[in-house]
Amino acid sequence: MSGAAGDFAGVAAVVVTYFDGLHFSDTARLRQVFHPKAQYVCATDGTLLYRDMDTYFPVVDARPSPASRGEPRRDEIVSIDFAGPVTARAVLRCSIGTRRFTDFLTLIRLEGRWQVISKVFHYEEEA
């Protein structure tokens, strides 16, 4: 983890909850970490996929969780950087099904807690 002095433990705690939310397809956990106005963005296939949280959470609710399919946890924090005391970026890797994701989470500290304001990601299909 790198960057200016910052609240690494606070951001890392949010990331752990995020990973748990993904692994268990648990939108209650994801709602704890995402700001209600957060953006979810990907362009892996050459087209823009954009969702707000009202669109993203039902997708998570509808899919079988990796945990229910017996998938092992494969998630890691690659780095956490700080632009200042209330702005951070976390680079993460995780897998769901046959997809290996690299996530860039931008976080802001509001109302005394870290929240994800944007998730921009890329994925690759595993062989």
Side-chain angles (χ1 to χ4, degrees), residues 32-44:
Q32 291 175 27
V33 299
F34 279 99
H35 187 279
K37 294 189 181 208
Q39 301 176 70
Y40 173 99
V41 180
C42 180
T44 295

Side-chain angles (χ1 to χ4, degrees), residues 41-53:
V41 180
C42 180
T44 295
D45 69 0
T47 61
L48 177 66
L49 170 63
Y50 169 87
R51 293 182 173 142
D52 60 16
M53 294 300 98

Side-chain angles (χ1 to χ4, degrees), residues 47-118:
T47 61
L48 177 66
L49 170 63
Y50 169 87
R51 293 182 173 142
D52 60 16
M53 294 300 98
D54 290 338
T55 307
Y56 173 57
F57 291 140
V59 171
V60 175
D61 285 331
R63 71 179 176 217
S65 72
S68 72
R69 295 189 305 249
E71 292 179 24
R73 292 282 294 259
R74 292 190 300 159
D75 45 47
E76 66 174 313
I77 298 172
V78 176
S79 65
I80 295 174
D81 297 299
F82 293 86
V86 297
T87 308
R89 179 189 61 174
V91 179
L92 316 173
R93 289 200 184 101
C94 66
S95 294
I96 297 175
T98 59
R99 291 185 174 172
R100 183 79 172 144
F101 294 87
T102 299
D103 296 344
F104 294 168
L105 302 184
T106 304
L107 299 95
I108 53 176
R109 187 168 173 81
L110 292 173
E111 301 169 358
R113 66 186 185 94
W114 288 102
Q115 301 171 65
V116 176
I117 194 65
S118 72

Side-chain angles (χ1 to χ4, degrees), residues 11-28:
V11 172
V14 169
V15 170
V16 168
T17 301
Y18 167 78
F19 283 147
D20 288 345
L22 292 179
H23 188 69
F24 295 101
S25 293
D26 183 347
T27 52

